Amino acid sequence: MASKLDALNRWVDEVARLTQPDRIHWCDGSEAEYQALVELMLDTGDLSELNPATHPNCYLHRSNPSDVARVEHLTFVCSRNADDAGPNNHWMAPEEAHQKIDALFAGCMKGRTLYVIPYCMGPIDSPLARCGVEISDSPYVVANMRIMTRMGEAALARIEREGSFVRGLHSTGDLDPAKRFIMHFPEELTIKSIGSGYGGNALLGKKCHALRIASWQARQEGWLAEHMLILGLESPQGETHYVAAAFPSACGKTNLAMLIPPAAYPGWKVWTIGDDICWMQPGPDGRLWAINPEAGFFGVAPGTSRSTNPNALAMLDRDAIFTNVAETADQQPWWEGLPEGKPATDWQGRDYDPANGPAAHPNSRFTVSAKQCPSWSPRAEDPQGVPISAIIFGGRRESLVPLVFEARDWKHGVLVGAAMGSETTAAATGAVGVLRRDSMAMKPFCGYNFADYFSHWLSLDKANAKLPRIFHVNWFRKGANGKFVWPGFGDNMRVLEWIVNRCKGGVGAVETPIGLLPRKEDLKLAGLGLGEAELELLLEVDHAGWAREYAGIGEYLESFGARTPALLQQEHARVSGELAASL
Ligand code: GDP
Ligand code: PGA
Ligand code: MN
């Protein structure tokens, strides 16, 4: 089935000449195709079957142990001009990058099948959706792309109608980390990735297309491609507010998106629209309208349990792919934080021995269709998207940063997002728990210069705009005992309620130099068992500590040089001045 689109046929031919596969398979996205791929991977050992009685149609994939997370040091933005990639990205000149990576692609698919994977990011009939074609030699990638995107015939039909698409070329290569590159050519709408089978490096529709390439396009076209979950919060009166939230990888997006309100909130309901990526566009009414470009979840397994995220657990007992989790003696998937069962085999397939570290890899993942989520919103398929009332930024901060605060206005909110810091996690290779700046949770994903990105955010503040309010949260404050102070998970509902009430103008706040905080009495805290001292810690603003934090933020903004928007510098100077005056 070659395509009606010559440009696509020509590109597939060109790639086949370079990579020399034995066969070419055009993916139609059918169930039969999926099952055939599963059979193939069961034969090759790429997958093993989990217990069909407890987990029908669920499979386990074990990665090469050197290939379990995104590799930021091997990820490049190859714009013509180095300044356009900015200090926030690794850059390589496009010709050099093509040369380097094409040398690795040469002949790499010998003996293998080249899969052509047409996909659509977003509801297939949405004007906000965008299409791409990934070429890959990995059946694991095809199977995951079928769950994560609208993949196959319908996407190909849209691509043929539109005539344009993002090109993604992927091969697992020989998995040698020294021959691993993830390269983006935003001016050519092209991605090339070799040497990794891990989700964020290999499922090119996700971080590579929907964030790095899309953010570049979004800037040119006046919209936003963000690393955000989208949820709808419905009140007992049936009124729904949509909220988007940006947290770095493994900092709680999937969990917040699927929250189940605690008993103190009868009649309230959280609807899931997306758990990782949000595309937003100003509508004719001045509001920001958002879609989730994805069709599935690629979620962190460890920590997911009936008590922390019951909606996630409910969707994981059928039709799911697990990557690098452990197995029980009766072939059920297992990970740290799951109270039921115990591990017999670890993520590398060895007999479980605590001396080898955790049974499941800390960045082990599940891939599952969004339709299986009990809180999946019917509005997630709405081609127009949903209107966003609030944007939330947040990260892992064991000290200083309060549970929640609100920005004074849009420009202050952009500063709050730009200034975000978070402790690193296992979602990317490298040290864990190191504090780094991660503006809008986009440090690994913004496909262009952060200074231009901040300007773009500021530019949305037009006369007719009805922009969302901006908030900052921190679920990860630790007490003197080293434990998280805030119970988190379902109880994050208490913070969401304050946020939505602020949007409606129904609740007060205290002004501080860093923003507006709830008073204790503004939050529903009964039954949480938090002591006075803990509450105080969660809602305190340590002015001296924040003055130091703002000095660091100032240096960070300076690091982008003259391209940093003056308005952001002024806003930083204003807050710094207020902090200094308050000491
Ligand atoms: P994502 O990668 O941003 O989608 O993050 P996840 O929602 O998958 O969460 C990553 C890790 O953080 C998991 O181990 C979760 O159990 C944990 N986590 C998520 N939300 C909370 C929370 O509110 N409090 C605490 N303490 N941990 C959380
Ligand atoms: P996430 O990222 O942790 O934000 O879901 C997935 C990835 O690392 O590819
Ligand atoms: Mn997630």
Side-chain angles (χ1 to χ4, degrees):
M1 173 187 84
S3 165
K4 292 190 209 104
L5 190 65
D6 281 340
L8 175 54
N9 292 329
R10 276 200 305 276
W11 176 57
V12 172
D13 284 348
E14 195 185 299
V15 168
R17 267 197 305 279
L18 175 67
T19 59
Q20 297 174 26
D22 280 13
R23 287 165 298 275
I24 297 182
H25 175 98
W26 289 71
C27 299
D28 60 13
S30 64
E31 177 64 32
E33 179 181 76
Y34 182 80
Q35 288 306 334
L37 284 165
V38 165
E39 290 303 322
L40 176 80
M41 287 188 277
L42 289 171
D43 280 349
T44 56
D46 274 343
L47 291 185
S48 62
E49 192 180 13
L50 291 164
N51 189 327
T54 58
H55 291 77
N57 210 18
C58 287
Y59 302 93
L60 169 63
H61 171 77
R62 291 198 186 101
S63 307
N64 184 302
S66 73
D67 185 32
V68 292
R70 284 181 292 99
V71 281
E72 295 179 5
H73 60 295
L74 301 172
T75 301
F76 291 80
V77 168
C78 311
S79 47
R80 283 195 284 271
N81 198 322
D83 285 345
D84 291 337
N88 46 303
N89 281 300
H90 299 295
W91 177 82
M92 202 184 286
E95 298 89 277
E96 186 193 344
H98 280 301
Q99 238 174 42
K100 213 177 189 119
I101 201 161
D102 285 355
L104 299 172
F105 276 114
C108 73
M109 296 190 190
K110 271 187 197 143
R112 304 174 66 94
T113 301
L114 178 159
Y115 296 95
V116 183
I117 315 165
Y119 63 86
C120 178
M121 301 308 290
I124 198 93
D125 52 350
S126 169
L128 282 74
R130 303 284 171 117
C131 292
V133 177
E134 174 166 0
I135 292 179
S136 175
D137 57 5
S138 160
Y140 170 81
V141 164
V142 181
N144 277 275
M145 284 293 283
R146 180 167 183 269
I147 299 175
M148 294 304 298
T149 72
R150 282 96 174 160
M151 185 272 260
E153 266 168 11
L156 182 60
R158 179 167 170 163
I159 290 167
E160 287 169 342
R161 250 188 345 266
E162 291 179 339
S164 74
F165 58 96
V166 168
R167 290 157 201 238
L169 172 55
H170 167 259
S171 169
T172 31
D174 60 13
L175 293 179
D176 175 353
K179 296 184 192 157
R180 183 174 295 164
F181 289 107
I182 298 68
M183 289 171 165
H184 305 74
F185 305 87
E187 284 122 336
E188 303 165 36
L189 300 184
T190 295
I191 304 153
K192 292 184 178 180
S193 163
I194 194 161
S196 168
Y198 173 73
N201 301 330
L203 309 178
L204 301 186
K206 194 174 180 54
K207 308 289 191 183
C208 300
H209 177 169
L211 288 175
R212 297 195 191 94
I213 298 287
S215 62
W216 176 289
Q217 294 180 294
R219 176 185 172 225
Q220 290 177 328
E221 300 165 9
W223 51 286
L224 292 171
E226 298 298 326
H227 189 202
M228 293 178 179
L229 67 93
I230 310 167
L231 63 80
L233 183 60
E234 185 179 342
S235 71
Q237 293 72 41
E239 188 188 19
T240 304
H241 280 88
Y242 294 93
V243 173
F247 310 153
S249 292
C251 292
K253 291 182 299 301
T254 302
N255 276 268
L256 189 65
M258 293 172 196
L259 180 149
I260 294 184
Y265 287 86
W268 289 81
K269 162 103 188 146
V270 168
W271 295 100
T272 309
I273 306 271
D275 82 323
D276 196 44
I277 302 180
C278 165
W279 286 356
M280 286 186 277
Q281 202 166 85
D285 60 356
R287 292 191 289 178
L288 288 182
W289 289 76
I291 61 163
N292 168 17
E294 301 191 281
F297 307 118
F298 181 63
V300 176
T304 307
S305 74
R306 234 171 280 285
S307 60
T308 58
N309 191 350
N311 276 331
L313 214 66
M315 62 185 184
L316 293 180
D317 55 11
R318 65 183 174 93
D319 304 294
I321 299 174
F322 294 86
T323 302
N324 297 331
V325 300
E327 259 184 311
T328 63
D330 63 345
Q331 279 80 50
Q332 298 194 47
W334 194 89
W335 48 81
E336 275 66 23
L338 206 59
E340 307 86 26
K342 62 179 202 294
T345 312
D346 78 3
W347 66 277
Q348 300 192 55
R350 302 173 295 196
D351 287 344
Y352 174 60
D353 177 353
N356 288 330
H361 188 275
N363 191 38
S364 54
R365 298 271 172 164
F366 54 78
T367 320
V368 67
S369 166
K371 294 200 184 85
Q372 284 178 221
C373 180
S375 56
W376 184 237
S377 166
R379 290 292 299 273
E381 298 290 344
D382 189 331
Q384 303 310 319
V386 294
I388 299 296
S389 302
I391 288 176
I392 308 177
F393 295 118
R396 277 181 193 262
R397 295 295 299 260
E398 60 175 34
S399 59
L400 188 70
V401 180
L403 179 64
V404 57
F405 62 92
E406 181 185 347
R408 289 165 39 132
D409 53 21
W410 185 258
K411 63 181 183 304
H412 181 217
V414 174
L415 175 66
V416 168
M420 249 173 78
S422 192
E423 290 135 19
T424 51
T425 67
T429 38
V432 167
V434 182
L435 181 65
R436 71 161 180 183
R437 297 271 155 231
D438 189 348
S439 299
M440 280 86 170
M442 285 287 277
K443 165 76 186 71
F445 307 119
C446 182
Y448 63 102
N449 192 316
F450 255 164
D452 300 342
Y453 174 72
F454 304 148
S455 299
H456 181 47
W457 265 79
L458 290 167
S459 76
L460 294 177
D461 197 3
K462 301 204 169 70
N464 66 341
K466 291 198 189 65
L467 293 168
R469 290 193 185 219
I470 297 180
F471 298 81
H472 190 287
V473 300
N474 177 24
W475 315 141
F476 299 97
R477 185 76 186 250
K478 285 185 181 165
N481 60 3
K483 296 215 171 100
F484 295 123
V485 179
W486 179 246
F489 301 104
D491 287 313
N492 293 334
M493 172 67 205
R494 299 163 198 273
V495 175
L496 284 182
E497 182 193 26
W498 184 74
I499 287 175
V500 167
N501 278 337
R502 287 295 299 166
C503 295
K504 290 165 58 175
V507 66
V510 205
E511 289 219 30
T512 80
I514 65 160
L516 300 137
L517 270 81
R519 295 162 304 181
K520 263 181 285 186
E521 58 271 28
D522 297 326
L523 292 174
K524 197 185 281 180
L525 298 169
L528 277 188
L530 284 173
E532 264 316 293
E534 288 170 317
L535 262 181
E536 226 124 83
L537 187 73
L538 289 168
L539 296 177
E540 98 187 334
V541 177
D542 163 9
H543 290 225
W546 274 101
R548 283 193 297 277
E549 177 83 2
Y550 261 79
I553 295 166
E555 282 168 30
Y556 172 70
L557 295 179
E558 290 291 326
S559 73
F560 298 99
R563 266 166 115 129
T564 308
L567 196 59
L568 204 60
Q569 299 279 30
Q570 284 158 24
E571 197 55 19
H572 175 264
R574 180 188 66 74
V575 178
S576 303
E578 283 183 27
L579 281 166
S582 74
L583 290 179

